[in-house]
Amino acid sequence: MPDSLSRCFFRPDTRLARRIVLIAGGSLIAGAIGRKPAFADDDAANGAPVAPDRLAAHPPKPMPALSFADAGGTAHALADYVGKPVILHLWATWCPPCVTELPTLARLAPQFEKDGVVVLAVSLDRGGAAKVAPFLTHTGVTTLPPYYDPTAATAKALDEDALPVTVLIDRQGREVARRSGPVLWEAPGAEEALRHLLG
């Protein structure tokens, strides 16, 4: 899959996954649907993968009430994690950029957790654990506890219609940065950049 295919679009408001549309960064299609770039940086704005040190912080803003379930079906609320910095990552098995990105985030997750950062990787697959568990086993992703939101309510609440999405949340539960598109988690200086962004 070419690296330039960097986003997977869907319709969270209908709660139905539609035909996957992979958008090359800066394409006319991306412009036609009115995606608002989250960053001034050219690469970030056109959807190309970016390193954490190129993510731009913004003034802290409140997060919507979000909830998701663990593998056992127990509900968790984002508010439960206030007091710790959080990396909230939305992804799906049907999204090729997500499939490429998730293992790299998983490899860094243990170090983030040692630093007191909670990594919440939430799958938006409609099939939930039945769909995602075999994928995680096949790819060897064992360091990220799986969370599920088969209705895509988290994406809708965040006003996102494409994956992957990463939101950086400070200890007060406020959004301080967002990346609508893939992140190069293993780029040099990634951990230091994320610590700086998360405070």
Side-chain angles (χ1 to χ4, degrees):
M1 187 64 60
D3 290 341
S4 62
L5 300 178
S6 61
R7 302 301 308 284
C8 298
F9 286 81
F10 66 109
R11 285 180 180 249
D13 54 329
T14 64
R15 298 186 180 182
L16 295 174
R18 65 173 168 131
R19 177 175 58 93
I20 300 171
V21 181
L22 298 176
I23 304 300
S27 71
L28 292 176
I29 299 173
I33 63 171
R35 295 293 300 162
K36 47 189 181 299
F39 305 93
D41 179 275
D42 288 343
D43 287 341
N46 72 21
V50 298
D53 66 356
R54 297 183 70 184
L55 299 181
H58 57 68
K61 64 180 184 179
M63 284 289 293
L66 303 178
S67 62
F68 34 85
D70 63 23
T74 301
H76 296 260
L78 183 62
D80 297 340
Y81 301 92
V82 171
K84 296 183 178 181
V86 172
I87 298 172
L88 174 65
H89 183 71
L90 306 183
W91 69 285
T93 61
W94 47 261
C95 171
C98 301
V99 169
T100 299
E101 180 182 15
L102 189 70
T104 65
L105 175 59
R107 284 193 287 273
L108 286 186
Q111 184 58 52
F112 290 145
E113 290 170 2
K114 283 181 186 177
D115 293 339
V117 177
V118 175
V119 181
L120 300 173
V122 180
S123 161
L124 303 192
D125 285 90
R126 293 182 67 211
K131 175 72 175 177
V132 176
F135 166 81
L136 295 177
T137 299
H138 175 72
T139 56
V141 172
T142 59
T143 57
L144 286 173
Y147 295 98
Y148 305 95
D149 173 19
T151 68
T154 49
K156 182 178 180 181
L158 292 168
D159 193 27
E160 292 285 350
D161 60 6
L163 297 175
V165 174
T166 301
V167 183
L168 303 185
I169 303 165
D170 68 12
R171 296 175 190 275
Q172 288 74 46
R174 304 171 301 179
E175 177 183 323
V176 293
R178 184 186 300 200
R179 171 62 179 148
S180 299
V183 175
L184 299 172
W185 295 104
E186 295 182 311
E191 293 174 42
E192 181 179 348
L194 289 162
R195 279 196 293 267
H196 176 73
L197 286 166
L198 290 165

